[in-house]
Amino acid sequence: MELQRGIIEKKVITSKKRDLNAFRQMFPFNTNATKLKVDETFKENWTGEFASFARLISGYKGEYSVGTQTNDFEPLLNEMSIEPKDHDEFIALLNELVITGETKQQLQHPNMLLHLERVDLKNRTFKISDYLYDLCKDHTSLQNMFNANEENDVLQNITKNFKPLPEKREKSLTTFDHKLPWLGELFTDDLLFLRNHPDFFIKYADLVTYYYTFFLLSQNIIKLSLLEHADYNKGNVEQLYFTLDWEPTVSSRRDAVRKGFKYLEEMASKLFSTQLTLAQLSCNTRNLESETMMEFPTIKSIFDQLSSEEQGVWLEEVDAQSTYIIEKSKLQRQITKSKTFSDSVKQLISVMAVSSPEAPQGRYGNAVTEIAKTRIVKQRGRNGNVFSLNQEMLTMFLIVIVRSSKMRLQDVYSELERRGVFLDRYSRIEFENTLEKMNLLIKMSDSGEAQYVKSIL
């Protein structure tokens, strides 16, 4: 295995820039990410983003707009038994529900997501709908999820008349580099379950989609930061601890503080330089024509198979790249001779960090933590931000986990962890108290093995 210096200097490193576009992208955002743009995507227009995903997975173009138009509702008035004095109010209601806005008030059936407008934004910072579509595009069971397979109600028919289906998508989108494709299976399964319960789907499907977006991004960040020690195998989830919004206090010794938001924030701060290093190391003779980056564990496995002499040459090549970057950046920094794989990789990451502009690095790393702040973070005084579930998020998890029958309490915890939600012993006590208040906890005994959680459905 040899580094391809010419490819590196063409695809990844030049004297003036560091390029994360050298391979297919691992994340659906760029260095222009800011809090303002996060809020725009994940607060103001999130339902529209979910609607774009619905269209893409159904075979339509993601963007959809009928443009500015005057709508004549008079023919409808002639067909319906509405008192003349109520005509103006009825037309105003139709304008609000069918024509204007991107709110859930418009959604009476999953099919109506296909008609929810979202204009085409040039140079989008966040390509979430494209990212999720690429994750799930091979799950054919999702392709008909948003079709109207039930008798249309009046509002659906009106919507179809004034907002025809968008154009069919003519070509596949640019694919992303998904290192954890098995998360798409779990996401698909939860969405399909909700689809069998249309009322719950309308209420919670976009929340499920938001959470899985965070789950996927945060897991990728942590695994990248673990370098050669990461485990990308199916079902292996990195721990992030959550609290519940209504817990009265959270001490600094809690797992929720030590291994929660702050932990992810620390890993995210190194995301730019770590990903750039992985891109550079992926330019090697074992990965000549691939459009995707290798994983650190894969590169380490190949390294371990080399002879001692070949390993020494490889370490020298990596150190030479660190030296090259320092010299091109005109920095005063001594490069030390690496003795191990880990030494060479960590040194290159450090060099990438000091030689790249701080502001873009910060914006890139902050993208995921800012996404989390929109719905699953709470400020806890001097302990700062912690991951936290509110009642709506907790209810959503109970619906997709427990489903239509009761489940052992221990299995509920296991299913939460399978979805990336870990609770320490204090949060578990609060969780069980909450289940009792919701009349969802069945106690056969005080043992966790003999306690069951009832379905909300």
Side-chain angles (χ1 to χ4, degrees):
M1 177 177 64
E2 297 178 9
L3 292 183
Q4 299 293 290
R5 187 167 299 187
I7 298 176
I8 291 170
E9 293 170 10
K10 179 181 179 182
K11 295 181 69 173
V12 184
I13 297 294
T14 70
S15 60
K16 295 184 178 180
K17 73 173 185 176
R18 312 286 179 262
D19 189 5
L20 285 175
N21 295 314
F23 295 88
R24 288 182 180 175
Q25 292 302 282
M26 293 176 62
F27 297 94
F29 49 81
N30 55 40
T31 56
N32 291 324
T34 62
K35 184 181 187 304
L36 182 64
K37 292 181 179 179
V38 170
D39 287 349
E40 183 181 83
T41 301
F42 290 87
K43 282 184 179 180
E44 299 169 22
N45 302 317
W46 179 246
T47 304
E49 193 71 33
F50 179 50
S52 178
F53 165 73
R55 285 189 286 271
L56 290 172
I57 206 68
S58 301
Y60 300 103
K61 292 182 178 180
E63 285 70 33
Y64 175 62
S65 175
V66 294
T68 304
Q69 59 181 27
T70 302
N71 298 286
D72 183 10
F73 293 114
E74 289 299 328
L76 285 174
L77 297 176
N78 298 330
E79 296 177 13
M80 304 177 73
S81 300
I82 298 176
E83 293 291 331
K85 63 183 178 64
D86 297 324
H87 282 190
D88 289 345
E89 186 176 348
F90 177 71
I91 290 175
L93 177 63
L94 289 178
N95 267 304
E96 181 180 350
L97 293 180
V98 180
I99 305 304
T100 63
E102 290 186 347
T103 66
K104 283 190 178 182
Q105 280 70 27
Q106 292 175 276
L107 305 179
Q108 304 298 318
H109 184 279
N111 174 259
M112 296 179 73
L113 277 163
L114 302 180
H115 306 268
L116 199 64
E117 294 189 56
R118 195 197 74 171
V119 297
D120 184 9
L121 299 175
K122 292 183 179 180
N123 302 318
R124 287 165 57 206
T125 299
F126 291 93
K127 298 183 178 181
I128 303 300
S129 57
D130 310 59
Y131 185 66
L132 295 176
Y133 159 76
D134 190 63
L135 177 71
C136 301
K137 63 185 178 185
D138 294 329
H139 296 279
T140 55
S141 53
L142 284 180
Q143 292 173 4
N144 296 318
M145 185 169 66
F146 298 95
N147 288 346
N149 55 6
E150 300 154 19
E151 184 176 348
N152 294 341
D153 60 22
V154 174
L155 187 56
Q156 280 180 257
N157 285 326
I158 294 173
T159 300
K160 288 182 177 180
N161 287 334
F162 289 95
K163 286 188 172 182
L165 284 172
E167 296 179 35
K168 283 285 187 178
R169 182 168 32 81
E170 297 176 357
K171 60 181 180 179
S172 298
L173 302 176
T174 302
T175 53
F176 289 85
D177 182 7
H178 284 288
K179 301 297 186 185
L180 301 170
W182 56 270
L183 286 182
E185 299 173 17
L186 196 57
F187 175 45
T188 296
D189 186 57
D190 283 349
L191 276 184
L192 288 174
F193 171 75
L194 279 179
R195 180 61 182 85
N196 293 326
H197 305 274
D199 290 343
F200 285 108
F201 186 92
I202 292 301
K203 189 171 183 179
Y204 292 107
D206 68 327
L207 191 60
V208 169
T209 304
Y210 160 80
Y211 177 75
Y212 270 97
T213 300
F214 164 77
F215 183 27
L216 184 63
L217 297 177
S218 60
Q219 288 293 308
N220 272 289
I221 287 175
I222 296 174
K223 289 186 184 296
L224 261 178
S225 71
L226 294 174
L227 306 179
E228 71 269 26
H229 303 294
D231 185 347
Y232 287 87
N233 290 319
K234 182 177 180 179
N236 185 279
V237 177
E238 305 301 334
Q239 294 180 344
L240 283 176
Y241 280 85
F242 286 69
T243 61
L244 302 179
D245 265 10
W246 45 94
E247 290 186 49
T249 58
V250 177
S251 72
S252 59
R253 291 174 292 180
R254 294 271 301 273
D255 288 332
V257 174
R258 296 185 299 104
K259 200 70 182 291
F261 181 85
K262 289 181 179 179
Y263 174 69
L264 178 62
E265 192 173 41
E266 180 184 354
M267 300 302 101
S269 68
K270 306 170 187 175
L271 176 60
F272 184 90
S273 55
T274 303
Q275 189 179 346
L276 202 53
T277 296
L278 182 59
Q280 182 156 354
L281 298 183
S282 293
C283 295
N284 63 62
T285 51
R286 297 289 188 93
N287 197 37
L288 282 177
E289 298 181 2
S290 177
E291 295 181 352
T292 61
M293 284 182 265
M294 303 171 81
E295 293 91 14
F296 281 115
T298 301
I299 299 174
K300 177 60 162 61
S301 177
I302 296 172
F303 175 84
D304 289 341
Q305 296 170 25
L306 301 175
S307 66
S308 296
E309 182 179 351
E310 290 171 328
Q311 288 183 356
V313 171
W314 191 85
L315 293 176
E316 288 177 1
E317 289 179 347
V318 177
D319 288 347
Q321 285 299 306
S322 293
T323 300
Y324 168 79
I325 295 169
I326 289 296
E327 290 176 350
K328 285 292 183 182
S329 302
K330 298 180 179 179
L331 297 173
Q332 299 298 317
R333 183 184 176 114
Q334 188 67 35
I335 299 301
T336 60
K337 183 177 181 179
S338 298
K339 296 180 179 179
T340 66
F341 177 89
S342 181
D343 289 344
S344 65
V345 171
K346 289 179 180 178
Q347 179 165 247
L348 185 53
I349 291 173
S350 176
V351 167
M352 291 293 192
V354 299
S355 64
S356 302
E358 290 185 13
Q361 288 189 75
R363 291 194 298 268
Y364 192 72
N366 288 341
V368 176
T369 52
E370 290 296 334
I371 289 170
K373 288 178 184 178
T374 62
R375 290 195 177 186
I376 52 173
V377 169
K378 184 171 183 177
Q379 227 284 335
R380 288 285 185 172
R382 64 181 182 181
N383 289 324
N385 291 316
V386 299
F387 289 123
S388 189
L389 304 179
N390 60 22
Q391 187 66 54
E392 183 183 30
M393 188 70 73
L394 181 63
T395 301
M396 178 272 288
F397 278 120
L398 290 173
I399 290 171
V400 299
I401 287 174
V402 182
R403 304 203 169 183
S404 56
S405 61
K406 67 182 181 183
M407 178 182 284
R408 285 193 319 158
L409 178 61
Q410 290 302 319
D411 291 338
V412 172
Y413 287 131
S414 296
E415 289 297 316
L416 280 169
E417 291 175 358
R418 194 157 75 104
R419 291 165 175 81
V421 177
F422 290 78
L423 302 175
D424 64 19
R425 62 190 182 95
Y426 300 101
S427 292
R428 287 193 175 201
I429 291 172
E430 196 67 41
F431 176 68
E432 291 165 27
N433 289 338
T434 301
L435 291 176
E436 283 195 89
K437 292 176 182 177
M438 297 172 69
N439 197 30
L440 295 177
L441 189 63
I442 305 171
K443 285 189 175 183
M444 304 295 188
S445 74
D446 290 335
S447 168
E449 293 293 324
Q451 295 186 60
Y452 292 83
V453 180
K454 292 191 293 186
S455 169
I456 290 178
L457 300 178

